Amino acid sequence: MKKFSIFSSALIVLGVSGTASAAWTDIDLNKPGNIDGAAYLGTFNYNGQTYGPSTALSVAGQASPTIENKFDLKQLKPFTFYGKDRDDSTGHNDVIITANTGSAQAEAPVVYRFYRQKHSAAIINLSRGTEARHFAKAVVGEKTAAGTLVNGTYNYKGVAFTHFPRGDFNYQVKVTGPSNATGEGSFSLKGLKIPARQSYNGQDVYFDINRGTLNSSALAATSAGLRFEGAVTVAESGVSDATAWQHIKGPQSNPSYRLTLYGPKGAEIAGVIQGLPSRIGTAAIMGSKQ
């Protein structure tokens, strides 16, 4: 299984806004994302300003003649999808208007998708031509301090999403000590697509993961934060189209998840699922305590 690090402090430096350190909400698009180390590609327009890495090329129709490399997530409203606000594969660029950069992709816009909670956020970059559909670029946030959890049961509810599909996320954490806990949960993804050229019937095929299981995991207190890491199970009974699931080699996949606690006393949780069939790619999962 591919090893990954989604919470590298070397990539996202935590600090207080206005000091020498960058706040967790300051995203440097010149640096690789903290999931798989894949680079950000293309640009997006927000409030009249174009954002993207310095390697991006300006094109006609951009919101501004200059490309800013750093984007402040505090501009975004919490618990709102930006970039693709539909919960299926047919959504348009609802909130952030995107613009393509580079002649090789002149017909296909590069799309950024953001989802921010109060203490954490995920960034998805729909970028063609990258390895293994590395659309999920970063999960960042204000990490929960070790030794601050209060005994009890925490129920988190939120979203699961990739570059287009979107679904639900639920996770239950049972805390038995300041840094001791176990967690398990579930997720769904709606509107997964197999394009006609890759499908088994010569037509576009859409299907859903109605329920995937995030297997039980013990909390680990690490230098990267308080986090859970475990296996993911998707049974054929949990998908809407068993033929489609078999076609993309779902039963042979070996997915896993990693989640980190964010905010005071574990107010939020966020991370990714990796190892799903390559047709799906990495999914972000995040929720807030209910």
Side-chain angles (χ1 to χ4, degrees):
M1 183 186 300
K2 187 177 195 176
K3 299 295 182 182
F4 57 94
S5 175
I6 64 174
F7 305 107
S8 172
S9 58
L11 295 176
I12 300 296
V13 181
L14 300 182
V16 180
S17 181
T19 66
S21 298
W24 72 266
T25 51
D26 294 332
I27 302 301
D28 187 344
L29 299 169
N30 280 329
K31 294 182 178 180
N34 60 6
I35 302 171
D36 291 327
Y40 292 100
L41 298 179
T43 64
F44 63 92
N45 301 328
Y46 187 73
N47 283 343
Q49 175 63 54
T50 300
Y51 295 90
S54 59
T55 54
L57 303 174
S58 62
V59 296
Q62 296 274 35
S64 58
T66 60
I67 299 175
E68 292 292 334
N69 305 135
K70 293 185 179 179
F71 182 69
D72 186 357
L73 293 169
K74 291 195 297 292
Q75 297 182 73
L76 308 180
K77 295 179 180 178
F79 309 108
T80 301
F81 269 102
Y82 287 81
K84 291 286 183 180
D85 198 28
R86 292 279 296 275
D87 59 357
D88 56 39
S89 296
T90 62
H92 298 287
N93 304 328
D94 299 300
V95 183
I96 291 180
I97 300 174
T98 60
N100 180 66
T101 60
S103 58
Q105 300 172 336
E107 302 301 322
V110 174
V111 176
Y112 280 74
R113 193 180 199 189
F114 297 84
Y115 187 81
R116 181 194 159 199
Q117 304 187 119
K118 291 183 178 180
H119 306 283
S120 56
I123 305 159
I124 305 294
N125 182 191
L126 195 168
S127 49
R128 294 186 178 185
T130 57
E131 178 188 354
R133 299 172 69 82
H134 287 168
F135 298 136
K137 288 298 190 292
V139 176
V140 296
E142 173 194 353
K143 297 182 182 71
T144 299
T148 61
L149 300 182
V150 178
N151 287 11
T153 299
Y154 300 4
N155 291 304
Y156 296 91
K157 183 178 178 63
V159 297
F161 62 102
T162 63
H163 58 308
F164 289 110
R166 175 173 148 191
D168 298 320
F169 164 70
N170 294 277
Y171 202 74
Q172 185 176 85
V173 173
K174 294 182 178 179
V175 179
T176 56
S179 295
N180 297 317
T182 57
E184 59 184 344
S186 64
F187 75 99
S188 65
L189 285 172
K190 307 294 184 181
L192 299 167
K193 178 184 177 181
I194 307 175
R197 68 183 181 279
Q198 297 176 355
S199 73
Y200 49 86
N201 60 8
Q203 301 176 351
D204 288 346
V205 175
Y206 292 89
F207 70 101
D208 305 329
I209 295 178
N210 293 318
R211 181 179 175 84
T213 300
L214 306 171
N215 297 339
S216 180
S217 170
L219 181 69
T222 74
S223 59
L226 300 177
R227 64 189 186 187
F228 300 92
E229 184 175 0
V232 174
T233 301
V234 180
E236 285 196 9
S237 60
V239 300
S240 63
D241 186 333
T243 300
W245 183 241
Q246 292 170 359
H247 183 71
I248 64 171
K249 300 184 177 1
Q252 287 78 51
S253 64
N254 187 26
S256 62
Y257 73 92
R258 184 174 290 178
L259 287 162
T260 293
L261 293 173
Y262 292 101
K265 299 180 180 179
E268 296 174 358
I269 197 167
V272 293
I273 299 171
Q274 287 195 313
L276 290 166
S278 60
R279 180 65 236 165
I280 300 173
T282 299
I285 46 176
M286 52 199 319
S288 58
K289 193 189 301 182
Q290 303 298 294

